[in-house]
Amino acid sequence: MKQNSSKNGSIVAGCDVGSLTSKAVIFDGKRILSQKIIRSKPRPEESARNVMGDALALAGLSPEQIEYCVGTGYGREKIPFVNETVSEIRCHARGAKWLLPTAETVIDIGGQDCKTMKINRDGEVERFMTNDKCASGTGRFLEVMARTLGIGIDELGSHTRLAKSPVTLAAACAVWAQADVVQYLNNGVSVEDIGAGINTAMASRVAILVNALKPEGDILMTGGVARNQGVVSTLEKLVGRKIKKTRKADPQLAGAIGAACIAFMKTQNKGAEK
Amino acid sequence: MNFFHKAASSLDVPEIIDWKKSGKKIVGYTCSYLPPELFYAAGVLPVRLRGVETDGLDIGDAYYGPFVCSYPKRILQLAGKGRYNFLDGAVITPGCDAMRRLDECWRKAGDDHPGILPGFFHFFDAPHKDEAHGFAWFVEEIRSLMEKIREYFGVEITEERLLEAIQLYNRGRRLLSDLEALRCNPAPPVSGADAFAAVLAGSVTPRDLYTRALEKWIAQLDSEKTDYRNRKRLMLVGSVNDDIELVRLMENDSGALVVAENLCFGVRAAGGLVAETGDPVEALARRYLGESICPRMFGKYSERLARLKETIQQHRVDGVVMQNIRFCDLHGAENALFERDLEKIGVPCLRIEREYGPLVETGRIKMRIGAFIERIQTR
């Protein structure tokens, strides 16, 4: 804690090893000192080491300078260097609270699942719902579809705005939807019209979970899919409410930020309980 | 404890093998609405059919199709692979529609896979209402099954033998009530996984051996030897489950303990006592059809909710995990109603969907249960 140190001197980290990407955040209780997102490796240990190594290097810190580290995500049990692991549901709730203090409802769309939760004043989860093992309604769905269209995943978001007559994807299943997409391509439908249909299909799946939770207060969307404007705007229509975004940090980092917030809280409670 | 765990987690139960070796008969059955006392009284070993230890679903899927609960499919899979060839008979009960179809699917599979259909194959119907006409029908079903047993196995089920069987099963039920009382304790002397194994073993082992083992085991349970006082207390309810690993998944390294359940194969089937006076057949009918705890029984939701609330209170439950096997309409709908009515009175609930069979979705389920326990802990 030589440099970059905050007033009370604690520097902590959050590490979120997801199915598609791994995220790390170095945090001093107020500011994010550094952050890193990488593509997950086959082994969660490796993803965790790489992403945390990069984040530390960016902050100019050594592992010993991290007072407490919380791990989360699907690979959390396998992260070698964490002090504690916490479920991604709770981490996303805490992260959302940090990103938008007025948030009461959180929608997180990750690589292989989709969660919606209601959070209380302290950022703790009051109720949550998750999709079940199925790729539609997850980041993986968009990724597969973008690949089928031959475009980058970040391009997909603008298609809802650019489309002239968006297609309808009949199937709620990612595999069948992909077959639909190929069919539309063969019929010469424009990539934008298909892309808009993909965003709508995705938003419809997510809306089921959101509406089942009966959202209240400010809704914040986190996870990589929050960057897809097409999905967000369609979801707003389907849910009938405005969905807030955050500029404070990349929404994809919410889980890692939440983990870091919990880590910081640990250093503040009853001294360092390491 | 080994006796219970061995019996609860594998098809190769030593006691079943010994029974078979001694030349005695074995009958498999599918539903907690069938009184196994009937078979015990006939000197036939009743074994509850399960789908454990399957490694594929090629046969199950071939006869059932994809949009059906995986529990009967896995039973059929085992039958198709010859794992149930040790059975002399099987009794199918329409616990739900998917279970009813096991009768047709097993018969058809028997044409294609010779030798897998037991010689005694009986459809035991159970009405969905316990009103007078349903009760009369159910009594008739029991009597006709007794007649079929007499014809096929050449054994007369006398009133005396039946009463003996009822008394023995009742002894086990009283023991299970004792076990449940211990689990209400602020410091339960037993983990949920061990308790579940102990109950489950009763559905596949000879009842006299089982009752003795249960008595001995319960007598030595001691809260001083365990450290379960400060755990969060969970209850597991929903679709059929005979997988101890699901209970373990909820308990291991989670800071939680399963202190109650309401599952087929669990204490729910142990239920109330059978009257030991009057006509034993009617007494059985009253107990087995009168148990409205399974959502297969129509018009009994409020009774079931009341019982659930009572258990939650008695066992000091902090949260209820409601699981349903994919495509299980009965429990899927019931869980949604339970969640609505329990959350209303401040009982946290978690609904999860799963497949029946060797626990393959551990990551997905563990994440949800972990988050649920965190939700309870931070309340």
Side-chain angles (χ1 to χ4, degrees), chain A:
Chain A
M1 276 145 279
K2 310 290 177 267
Q3 66 274 64
N4 289 334
S5 86
S6 63
K7 260 178 253 161
N8 42 39
S10 294
I11 298 180
V12 297
C15 186
D16 177 2
V17 177
S19 61
L20 271 183
T21 57
S22 295
K23 286 80 67 176
V25 160
I26 314 286
F27 184 62
D28 70 358
K30 286 204 171 62
R31 287 176 310 132
I32 293 175
L33 304 181
S34 72
Q35 62 188 60
K36 183 71 185 177
I37 302 175
I38 63 166
R39 188 94 192 159
S40 287
K41 313 277 179 220
R43 301 247 165 242
E45 303 86 308
E46 199 188 342
S47 308
R49 270 204 199 91
N50 288 2
V51 75
M52 187 53 82
D54 289 355
L56 284 168
L58 283 169
L61 293 170
S62 67
E64 296 73 41
Q65 287 170 288
I66 301 298
E67 197 174 325
Y68 205 89
C69 178
V70 168
T72 189
Y74 266 77
R76 68 177 182 274
E77 307 290 348
K78 292 281 192 307
I79 309 177
F81 48 78
V82 295
N83 299 81
E84 166 181 2
T85 59
V86 174
S87 81
E88 49 265 50
I89 306 258
R90 184 165 174 231
C91 285
H92 273 277
R94 295 298 298 256
K97 191 76 192 170
W98 188 82
L99 289 166
L100 181 72
T102 57
E104 287 178 46
T105 304
V106 183
I107 305 167
D108 172 76
I109 307 180
Q112 71 177 27
D113 68 5
C114 168
K115 341 179 218 302
T116 57
M117 52 210 122
K118 271 189 189 168
I119 58 178
N120 65 18
R121 220 173 293 137
D122 303 320
E124 295 294 352
V125 179
E126 285 200 320
R127 257 195 94 197
F128 68 92
M129 296 188 80
T130 49
N131 72 318
D132 279 291
K133 55 159 192 186
C134 169
S136 64
T138 72
R140 188 84 69 178
F141 175 82
L142 292 183
E143 204 182 64
V144 170
M145 296 309 151
R147 202 183 306 141
T148 310
L149 288 180
I151 58 169
I153 186 141
D154 289 327
E155 285 175 64
L156 205 50
S158 60
H159 286 182
T160 298
R161 187 169 40 84
L162 300 173
K164 291 196 174 66
S165 110
V167 301
T168 306
L169 295 182
C173 163
V175 177
W176 292 344
Q178 194 181 4
D180 272 3
V181 167
V182 171
Q183 185 65 41
Y184 282 124
L185 280 173
N186 292 349
N187 292 347
V189 177
S190 82
V191 170
E192 287 76 15
D193 285 348
I194 302 174
I198 291 167
N199 292 339
T200 303
M202 173 83 178
S204 317
R205 295 292 296 179
V206 178
I208 297 171
L209 277 186
V210 179
N211 285 329
L213 193 74
K214 300 192 181 67
E216 287 171 305
D218 280 353
I219 306 178
L220 177 69
M221 188 152 157
T222 62
V225 178
R227 289 200 303 260
N228 180 317
Q229 191 46 45
V231 172
V232 176
S233 62
T234 313
L235 192 55
E236 283 179 331
K237 273 184 212 138
L238 293 170
V239 176
R241 299 173 71 105
K242 197 96 191 106
I243 292 171
K244 303 226 167 175
K245 277 172 294 169
T246 173
R247 290 212 165 78
K248 210 164 164 185
D250 186 335
Q252 203 174 352
L253 288 170
I257 292 172
C261 289
I262 294 169
F264 187 76
M265 195 178 69
K266 289 281 172 168
T267 64
Q268 304 301 298
N269 290 348
K270 39 182 169 161
E273 56 178 84
K274 249 205 236 202

Side-chain angles (χ1 to χ4, degrees), chain B residues 104-136:
Chain B
E104 297 143 19
C105 292
W106 198 338
R107 283 176 202 276
K108 180 73 184 85
D111 295 342
D112 305 335
H113 303 266
I116 66 160
L117 196 69
F120 178 79
F121 198 76
H122 183 81
F123 187 78
F124 177 80
D125 215 341
H128 291 277
K129 291 180 179 176
D130 67 349
E131 285 153 19
H133 60 286
F135 180 76

Side-chain angles (χ1 to χ4, degrees), chain B residues 61-174:
Chain B
D61 271 337
Y63 295 91
Y64 262 108
F67 305 119
V68 181
C69 164
S70 39
Y71 173 59
K73 278 203 248 187
R74 285 193 185 269
I75 294 178
L76 185 61
Q77 178 74 18
L78 288 178
K81 292 278 181 190
R83 294 289 306 273
Y84 276 128
N85 283 358
F86 67 86
L87 295 177
D88 300 285
V91 181
I92 310 295
T93 300
C96 62
D97 205 41
M99 293 309 291
R100 178 191 62 74
R101 288 195 219 163
L102 187 57
D103 182 87
E104 297 143 19
C105 292
W106 198 338
R107 283 176 202 276
K108 180 73 184 85
D111 295 342
D112 305 335
H113 303 266
I116 66 160
L117 196 69
F120 178 79
F121 198 76
H122 183 81
F123 187 78
F124 177 80
D125 215 341
H128 291 277
K129 291 180 179 176
D130 67 349
E131 285 153 19
H133 60 286
F135 180 76
W137 170 14
F138 194 59
V139 167
E140 202 43 53
E141 279 295 316
I142 295 179
R143 292 200 198 282
S144 116
L145 173 58
M146 286 165 74
E147 180 55 26
K148 288 276 161 55
I149 292 172
R150 193 186 62 79
E151 273 171 26
Y152 188 84
F153 295 103
V155 200
E156 189 81 48
I157 304 174
T158 61
E159 268 199 21
E160 209 178 11
R161 290 278 293 153
L162 197 50
L163 184 62
E164 251 173 60
I166 290 172
Q167 285 167 339
L168 177 64
Y169 274 75
N170 275 348
R171 222 173 93 212
R173 290 188 180 106
R174 285 193 197 95

